[in-house]
Amino acid sequence: MNDDLPPLVPPFAALAAIYDRAGFADYANRAAARYLAYALENDWAGRRVIDIGCRTGATSWWLAQQGYRVIGADESAALIDLAQKRYATGEWVDGSPPEFVRYTLGALDALSGLVDLALAVDGALHAASSLRELEAVFTAIRRLLDDERLLIFDLETIGGLAASAQSGPLMLYDDARDLTVIARPRFNFETLSRTIHYTIWRRGDAGWERADEQHTARGYPVQAVRTVLERSGFALRALLSPDMQPLDPAREQPARVVFVAQKAPDQA
């Protein structure tokens, strides 16, 4: 990165407050509805859902409004604080509101109770820095799930991450009155990871203020993710495109893959 750039704030310290307004939650909101519909169409039934990487809680709130008991979990204190404050002010409340909790990847088993469906939408599991850490996450999710229940998550492929970093700086949101968000993506072929440097300009009482933060998404081969899933006690039920069509990554070059996995029975 350019040495002239200002110091970084922690991930989501600045983005949290403008996350929904700038459209960051839009993909997750649409995808969660597709994933839930797919589960229902394939004979899933249940009431308890965990939304892993819930961000500002918009998807968790939507799930709760469909009648589910929802835990929204995210590793960002800023995001969880925002989600909890929305509940405190009564925004969107209809029925049983979600419970919002903070977690660290690999420590999901600290949450209590079994759930019927685990969702990790819009690449939430890219935060895992290695296949070993990803396996720890899957193992923890398995302990949360009731017998033979589902885990549905999506990941961008290595090719998808690399392609998304080819465009150079992007103006993600621009309102000349009070908010501008610029993204500078880069892909590292040595670590197979995409880094996005966000610059957020917000106008407050004292004038325009700038904040910079950086997010990294690690890419994994689809077959490696499948192997880690199976080693963690899951059976892979489907590999799908984002529009929920069957996908063969060996023949196609998708930018994103949706994994549908089922908790396998414990070995006798």
Side-chain angles (χ1 to χ4, degrees):
M1 288 297 176
N2 190 328
D3 293 337
D4 295 331
L5 292 175
L8 299 174
V9 299
F12 296 109
L15 278 180
I18 55 91
Y19 193 85
D20 291 348
R21 177 183 173 186
F24 284 90
D26 293 352
Y27 183 88
N29 294 341
R30 294 191 301 269
R34 292 196 298 269
Y35 300 171
L36 179 61
Y38 179 89
L40 292 170
E41 290 167 1
N42 285 272
D43 300 322
W44 173 83
R47 288 290 312 283
R48 303 158 299 176
V49 181
I50 184 167
D51 179 16
I52 299 167
C54 69
R55 303 307 188 223
T56 58
T59 298
S60 299
W61 280 106
W62 180 82
L63 289 165
Q65 289 172 332
Q66 311 312 303
Y68 297 99
R69 296 187 179 277
V70 183
I71 298 173
D74 202 282
E75 60 182 340
S76 165
L79 289 169
I80 288 297
D81 182 62
L82 179 61
Q84 290 172 335
K85 286 180 177 177
R86 282 181 167 173
Y87 163 58
T89 60
E91 184 179 348
W92 300 337
V93 172
D94 182 14
S96 299
E99 173 189 1
F100 289 107
V101 298
R102 190 183 178 199
Y103 74 90
T104 56
L105 286 176
L108 290 172
D109 50 343
L111 301 175
S112 60
L114 295 177
V115 298
D116 304 305
L117 176 65
L119 297 177
V121 187
D122 196 14
L125 299 186
H126 278 299
S129 61
S130 66
L131 282 172
R132 178 175 294 182
E133 186 174 352
L134 190 61
E135 183 174 355
V137 174
F138 288 150
T139 300
I141 293 172
R142 186 182 186 279
R143 285 195 288 266
L144 277 175
L145 284 169
D146 208 345
D147 293 342
E148 299 184 344
R149 298 304 191 176
L150 296 179
L151 162 63
I152 304 179
F153 65 97
D154 59 61
L155 290 172
E156 292 183 73
T157 61
I158 295 171
L161 290 172
S164 69
Q166 299 304 309
S167 57
L170 301 170
M171 184 78 72
L172 297 184
Y173 187 87
D174 188 27
D175 185 331
R177 296 170 300 176
D178 61 354
L179 178 63
T180 299
V181 183
I182 301 169
R184 298 177 179 85
R186 298 181 67 181
F187 187 79
N188 187 317
F189 285 92
E190 293 295 324
T191 61
L192 301 180
S193 60
R194 180 193 62 205
T195 299
I196 301 180
H197 184 112
Y198 293 101
T199 298
I200 303 99
W201 287 97
R202 297 184 69 190
R203 184 167 185 153
D205 294 338
W208 287 94
E209 298 179 350
R210 172 177 175 165
D212 288 68
E213 59 184 62
Q214 190 165 283
H215 297 241
T216 299
R218 173 73 184 273
Y220 301 104
V222 172
Q223 185 56 46
V225 176
R226 178 173 189 163
T227 298
V228 169
L229 264 174
E230 294 172 348
R231 201 160 58 212
S232 303
F234 283 95
L236 184 65
R237 294 306 182 202
L239 286 176
L240 305 170
S241 64
D243 60 357
M244 310 310 284
Q245 297 302 308
L247 185 67
D248 181 0
R251 296 187 177 185
E252 304 173 56
Q253 295 182 337
R256 187 185 299 259
V257 177
V258 180
F259 296 77
V260 180
Q262 185 177 38
K263 178 179 177 179
D266 292 323
Q267 296 295 325

